[in-house]
Amino acid sequence: MNPQSQKATSEANRMHDLKIPLLQTSQNATLREIKFRIQDITCASCVNSIESVVGNLDGVNCVMVSAIDGKATIKYMPELISAKKIKESVEEAGFRVHELSEQDISVCKVRIKGMACTSCSESVERALQMVDGVKKAAVGLALGEAKVHFDPNFTDVKKIIEVIEDAGFGVDLISSGTDVNKVHLRLEGLDSPDDVNVVMSSLELAEGVNHVEMDLTERKVTITYDPDVTGPRSLIQCIQAAAHGPSGYHATLYSHSRQRETRSMDEIHMYRDQFLFSCLFSVPVFLFAMVLPMLPPYGNWLNYKIHSMLTIGMFLRWILSTPVQFIVGKRFYVGSYHALRRRSANMDVLVALGTNAAYFYSIYILIKALTSVTFQGQDFFETSSMLISFILLGKYLEVVAKGKTSDALAKLTQLVPDKVCLLALDAEGNVISETEVDTQLIQRNDVIKIVPGAKIPVDGIVIKGQSYVNESMITGEATPIDKSPGDKVIGGTVNENGCLVVKATHVGAETALSQIVQLVEAAQLAKAPIQKLADHISKFFVPIVVVAAFITWLGWFIPGEAGIYPKYWIPKAMDAFELALQFAISVLVVACPCALGLATPTAVMVASGIGASQGVLIKGGDALEKAHKVKVVVFDKTGTLTIGKPEVVSAVLFSEFLMEELCDMAIAVEASSEHPIAKAVVVYAKRQRQQFGSSAEQVFDVKDFEVHVGAGVSGKVGVRTVLVGNKRLMHSRSVPISGEVERYVSENEVLARTCVLVSIDGKIAGAFSVTDPVKPGAKRVISFLHTMGILSIMVTGDNRATATAIADEVGIDKVFAETDPLGKADKVKDLQMKGMVVAMVGDGINDSPALVAADVGMAIGAGTDVALEAADIVLVKSSLEDVITAIDLSRRTMSRIRLNYIWALGYNILGMPIAAGILYPFTGIRLPPWLAGACMAASSLSVVCSSLLLQLYKKPLHTASA
């Protein structure tokens, strides 16, 4: 093709290009890498065969196979070929393929519409788990969401959405992958492919940008970036600076629909509108069938015959009930179809069976009346229309109540202010300008001003000013905390009185508030083990109800036809068949699988939200359930029972060495240690050196530095060998301990102080006495645990005398001292072997093995990241009182879940026999189908409202002490 033809073709396809291939970038940008381990490779010929087979596949860019270890690395374009197809091609060539360890696992979260009961959520979960590449799928019924972990080499978000839709449910994408360090921007001013290329190039070349994706259908660009280098505000400026010519480019933050709150309101409005539309027809049907005929002469006109035995009343009931049955009730048909297609049954199946039985039997009556001059029969049009109306009313009330189960979480998400005052500083730190910007545009290291009464938008450090900050909304601590330069502040908290200048350290999804919200959302998706009971029952529930309804119909129809029960039991204008049909329909619609499915997740949602608002983060239903069984709480000492900031209270010499010399040796060796006691020794020794006129900054070089776990440290300072640690370290290195030293150590240990001995060249030179004050309230917490029937144990690496003194002070039942990190985990396992459910409370890296080993690991919020990651429950404000809160909240929640099951199961056990007419022979009381539908709706509502009562939860220790 010549250049002129190319130009003409390009011009002709301009509009088409704008819609579809505008976002095309170089092929390398879409390449993906997969790694396999291939067996049966014996020589270079095998390697060539594999590389030839795979290399010839359309979409494969590069193939590298190692004959030594059998590893294959393949780069391909996912738009043209899948990793599954590549794997199958290798297997067809005669080689066995094994996946390497999971490399690139992605996560997406979706909103699922139309789930009514546990059967629905189980169906979605099964469908997702059958998708090739899906590693884990968690579906939350009460939350109406699913979180899917998948290998992007085998599947993608589009496929996951298709699978959920094929299962018969609506689905909206909430998030794809991690939202940390990712920003979505809406673009304006891009009118041609050149504009798109300019913006893409500018962003890809911008410093700190890792990945750029553009979606022109929504005029949106998604950018993944390094927060240490750039941020949303800089990226917007980059886009605007890329403009050339008279027209400019504009970028603004892309606002997703108001997330869960908006979706919840949409669902509420949908059910409300459907209910009102249904009432528009069903109320007149009810009046024509149940009210006017009982008010002669006002209802006489309804008996006027149109043709044969067809009356005006019957004709109007048919006309009015048909829209309710097929327009409003369409959702039940659709839900039934999809449920039966996936070989399961849910509430929609029961409702569809009941309403169809009533409606089509009424159609039969109508046809008979139209074609006969002697036929007399009773239609049930009011049954089907009123039944649908009452079920919709119940669903409306249920979704309103369910929306309140996440109120605590919604309040957390609303804590961050929309706008913030951004400061521009000169080189000397003086304020040049103040600008009001969107909070989402704040970047790391930005300096912001927080006026009195304003909410703090991000996590940061105070660099100027002094004030009190109310952190109760994050930590549950009601007392305002004093903040001055150098102190950390948390996003979402409130500045009380002074003006603060804060430097942002964590923004967006990195803030403590965002992580709390993410953690609680994950907990609400996770199923508690007790949920398995409902899942198991739900598999058989609907089939059993259908069988029960059929038996009910037979049980009333056959005896009625045979004359076994008196004829006067059959109401006027009915026969035995119609009476039996009414009882069968009532049985169908009175049973409610929804209530069972909601019993556990609604309680878990409320409890996890309430826990988060009070400073107790529970990482899922499993932890929430196990905590109520705890019989033993194992405490670490330093930083858990004690404040965790050791201080040296005295120092003493035991030899000819000078105090200055002792301090120099201690500083030199301890400066390389991260242990809190080591830091306390260094601070004290430097202070002592200043008193002698020495430079506090001078530190001697140390050689052969070594950490002795649970004992201390050692090293060479110049020509001298220095040991700093406890008696165990001295004994292990054969350093003699005199009686004087022993007495000093014993006297301090009785006072709950730790003695740090310093040995120089094999001789004890002196010692430092270190104390770590017990946390206020620790004794009260241990005492309260005893009243709850829970045993308390301390496991620490400190010496026995000091540990025993602390234990006696707070009332600990049993002490295990001088224990290393693995030893702590072993003690936990020993207790578990005795049949005890153990909770471990700790704060440090050395507590992580024990936190993982325990049935319930509780990490102090001020502890290390490793400890927080290993724990099942995080105590945000580092208060021991929250150990009691976590256990008590678990107990209350499990009691509420059991009560919910009693409501749900008890209701079905009592309701179905009554609906089947067990009381009718004795009392004349029967449950009409429309009333049975109202009762079914009430059962779900009662369970949700029961869970909502958990919102009244109060901390037990505060209550006890009040």
Side-chain angles (χ1 to χ4, degrees), residues 763-814:
K763 188 176 182 181
I764 300 292
F768 297 93
S769 176
V770 183
T771 184
D772 186 6
V774 172
K775 281 185 177 179
K779 184 175 182 179
R780 191 159 59 109
V781 168
I782 302 303
S783 175
F784 199 93
L785 284 173
H786 290 157
T787 65
M788 297 172 72
I790 296 174
L791 189 70
S792 58
I793 293 175
M794 179 199 293
V795 180
T796 178
D798 211 339
N799 64 76
R800 179 166 301 280
T802 302
T804 303
I806 295 287
D808 292 341
E809 184 178 346
V810 299
I812 291 283
D813 297 306
K814 198 171 184 180

Side-chain angles (χ1 to χ4, degrees), residues 180-192:
V180 176
N181 307 332
K182 182 183 287 187
V183 66
H184 307 276
L185 301 177
R186 184 181 293 280
L187 301 173
E188 296 177 10
L190 276 66
D191 303 319
S192 69

Side-chain angles (χ1 to χ4, degrees), residues 777 780-781 784 880-881 884-885 954-962:
R780 191 159 59 109
V781 168
F784 199 93
L880 286 177
E881 292 176 355
I884 292 170
T885 301
K954 301 293 182 185
K955 292 186 177 184
L957 199 54
H958 284 176
T959 304
S961 61

Side-chain angles (χ1 to χ4, degrees), residues 857-915:
M858 300 186 188
I860 295 294
T864 65
D865 291 340
V866 176
L868 301 183
E869 186 69 28
D872 301 301
I873 297 175
V874 179
L875 312 180
V876 177
K877 64 176 182 177
S878 303
S879 171
L880 286 177
E881 292 176 355
D882 287 338
V883 173
I884 292 170
T885 301
I887 296 172
D888 184 68
L889 180 59
S890 170
R891 290 183 176 184
R892 298 282 185 90
T893 304
M894 294 309 300
S895 296
R896 185 60 54 181
I897 289 172
R898 294 191 192 99
L899 181 61
N900 288 351
Y901 276 126
I902 292 172
W903 272 110
L905 289 171
Y907 162 84
N908 285 303
I909 290 169
L910 292 174
M912 286 177 65
I914 294 173

Side-chain angles (χ1 to χ4, degrees), residues 470-731:
N470 185 346
E471 297 181 346
S472 61
M473 58 288 298
I474 303 294
T475 66
E477 178 58 62
T479 307
I481 310 298
D482 181 29
K483 300 292 181 181
S484 54
D487 290 335
K488 294 180 181 179
V489 290
I490 306 172
T493 56
V494 179
N495 182 25
E496 294 267 311
N497 47 12
C499 184
L500 295 176
V501 176
V502 174
K503 183 178 182 180
T505 57
H506 297 82
V507 297
E510 296 178 330
T511 63
L513 180 60
S514 294
Q515 291 176 355
I516 288 171
V517 170
Q518 290 168 22
L519 196 150
V520 175
E521 286 178 339
Q524 292 177 346
L525 277 174
K527 286 184 179 179
I530 196 172
Q531 176 71 17
K532 291 178 182 177
L533 172 63
D535 293 345
H536 187 69
I537 292 173
S538 70
K539 292 178 182 177
F540 311 101
F541 188 89
V542 174
I544 289 172
V545 171
V546 173
V547 171
F550 182 70
I551 292 172
T552 299
W553 178 78
L554 287 177
W556 281 99
F557 174 61
I558 294 174
E561 289 292 309
I564 296 176
Y565 59 76
K567 291 290 183 183
Y568 68 83
W569 282 12
I570 304 174
K572 291 181 181 180
M574 273 195 196
D575 57 23
F577 176 87
E578 293 166 348
L579 179 64
L581 184 63
Q582 287 257 342
F583 282 125
I585 293 172
S586 294
V587 170
L588 277 176
V589 298
V590 80
C592 183
C594 303
L596 274 173
L598 294 170
T600 299
T602 52
V604 171
M605 280 183 70
V606 176
S608 56
I610 290 298
S613 67
Q614 299 198 7
V616 178
L617 295 183
I618 302 168
K619 294 185 179 179
D622 191 21
L624 189 64
E625 181 172 338
K626 284 182 179 177
H628 90 284
K629 302 176 183 177
V630 168
K631 293 299 178 186
V632 180
V633 178
V634 177
F635 292 93
D636 173 47
K637 182 180 77 69
T638 305
T640 302
L641 287 171
T642 63
I643 291 176
K645 293 183 179 179
E647 293 181 353
V648 176
V649 292
S650 66
V652 64
L653 295 171
F654 293 118
S655 63
E656 69 278 2
F657 292 100
L658 300 174
M659 180 60 72
E660 185 177 1
E661 202 170 4
L662 176 72
C663 291
D664 286 341
M665 296 298 106
I667 291 171
V669 180
E670 292 280 56
S672 300
S673 174
E674 291 295 319
H675 197 284
I677 291 180
K679 291 180 179 179
V681 169
V682 170
V683 169
Y684 179 85
K686 284 184 176 181
R687 197 162 52 238
Q688 291 294 106
R689 281 172 57 175
Q690 286 179 328
Q691 292 181 4
F692 297 121
S694 302
S695 171
E697 300 302 322
Q698 181 184 356
V699 178
F700 294 95
D701 290 334
V702 180
K703 296 179 181 178
D704 301 330
F705 176 78
E706 186 178 355
V707 176
H708 305 272
V709 179
V713 293
S714 64
K716 278 206 164 193
V717 183
V719 296
R720 290 178 167 176
T721 300
V722 181
L723 306 176
V724 183
N726 56 23
K727 288 194 296 183
R728 186 146 48 106
L729 176 62
M730 301 304 158
H731 287 312

Side-chain angles (χ1 to χ4, degrees), residues 126-149:
R126 281 198 302 270
L128 288 171
Q129 288 170 346
M130 290 176 66
V131 177
D132 192 23
V134 169
K135 303 298 180 183
K136 179 183 176 184
V139 180
L141 173 62
L143 207 58
E145 294 179 1
K147 192 173 185 179
V148 186
H149 299 252

